Amino acid sequence: MVAFDVDGTLFSSESIIFKTYVQAIEEFASKTGKITSLPSHDQIMNEIGKPVRTIFANLLPNLPESERDIISGRVLDLLCDAIRSGGGDFYAGVGSTIHYLKEKGYTITCASNGRKAYIETVLDTAGVLQYFEPIVVINQDTIHTKGEILAEYVRKYNLEPNSIAMIGDRHSDWEAARQTGCPFGFCTYGHGLPGEIPDFEWKFDDLPTLKEFF
């Protein structure tokens, strides 16, 4: 099995994410009058890749969770609409690499902090959703982290952890792999910071390089 992170690995929402967050927060502020200052561009971008509720707790700590959930739901709608309209950027080789892995007989899925609608919109827009197994996502109930997502794939497919390759760009991807006992493929082209990834089994400077190892 190959489990992909999404943002920074298959797709970058960097060009659309700030606008969608600001729009959703401004809409809420105009309706309620509860928000007097917007998070900065750097504050928002530094949160990307974390679980959604963590992001909004950090950006809007003075709001109750129920109201943060309203804003995050609006962000999700705006993001999906933007992606369907051509917003964001797919990394080169997404379609050909996924198709190659499928032809080689790999089971393909995702391990992402993103919500299901976001992940499926990205994959559908890329034309590769049909190659992916049903995606396990954080549900705030039984699954709270990427490591727990990988553990669920281990359980669900009756696999040894070392037979699931975790492919990603950030420390949370590395951490999930190490917690679960999965080998890790590091995507150097994503959103990671220098020195963020302590070690890896494979290193990819672009997606098509996966074909050299798998």
Side-chain angles (χ1 to χ4, degrees):
M1 175 179 280
V2 180
F4 286 97
D5 173 51
V6 176
D7 224 322
T9 302
L10 300 176
F11 177 77
S12 175
S13 63
E14 201 163 356
S15 63
I16 56 174
I17 198 84
F18 178 67
K19 180 180 177 181
T20 59
Y21 271 65
V22 168
Q23 182 177 337
I25 293 169
E26 284 182 336
E27 287 176 1
F28 181 84
S30 67
K31 288 178 183 175
T32 65
K34 289 191 173 184
I35 301 171
T36 55
S37 62
L38 292 172
S40 70
H41 180 272
D42 286 348
Q43 283 176 311
I44 291 173
M45 296 312 298
N46 287 340
E47 294 298 320
I48 302 309
K50 298 176 183 176
V52 172
R53 283 190 168 166
T54 301
I55 292 173
F56 283 93
N58 291 342
L59 293 178
L60 302 168
N62 295 325
L63 289 182
E65 187 171 80
S66 60
E67 293 184 338
R68 294 197 297 259
D69 286 348
I70 291 170
I71 298 171
S72 71
R74 180 63 175 146
V75 167
L76 179 61
D77 291 341
L78 291 169
L79 266 180
C80 291
D81 287 346
I83 293 164
R84 292 188 197 100
S85 300
D89 301 284
F90 288 95
Y91 291 108
V94 171
S96 62
T97 303
I98 297 300
H99 189 262
Y100 167 86
L101 292 172
K102 194 67 177 178
E103 289 290 300
K104 291 278 285 188
Y106 287 98
T107 301
I108 306 170
T109 191
C110 290
S112 167
N113 282 329
R115 285 169 284 187
K116 190 171 186 179
Y118 170 76
I119 296 168
E120 291 188 344
T121 299
V122 169
L123 299 178
D124 189 42
T125 303
V128 297
L129 181 60
Q130 69 269 28
Y131 299 123
F132 282 73
E133 294 295 305
I135 296 161
V136 175
V137 296
I138 291 171
N139 59 19
Q140 306 297 344
D141 179 20
T142 56
I143 298 174
H144 305 85
T145 66
K146 285 186 187 181
E148 290 176 356
I149 291 173
L150 291 177
E152 177 62 13
Y153 288 133
V154 168
R155 185 200 66 77
K156 184 177 178 182
Y157 290 90
N158 195 28
L159 296 169
E160 293 296 324
N162 64 9
S163 66
I164 301 179
M166 176 70 211
I167 310 297
D169 64 316
R170 301 304 304 265
H171 187 269
S172 62
D173 303 313
W174 172 87
E175 185 177 52
R178 294 296 178 252
Q179 285 175 347
T180 319
C182 301
F184 178 65
F186 172 36
C187 297
T188 62
Y189 56 82
H191 302 320
L193 303 174
E196 186 173 342
I197 304 300
D199 53 41
F200 47 79
E201 278 63 51
W202 310 282
K203 183 173 75 168
F204 312 115
D205 294 329
D206 56 40
L207 265 174
T209 305
L210 269 75
K211 299 175 189 177
E212 298 175 13
F213 299 97
F214 290 83

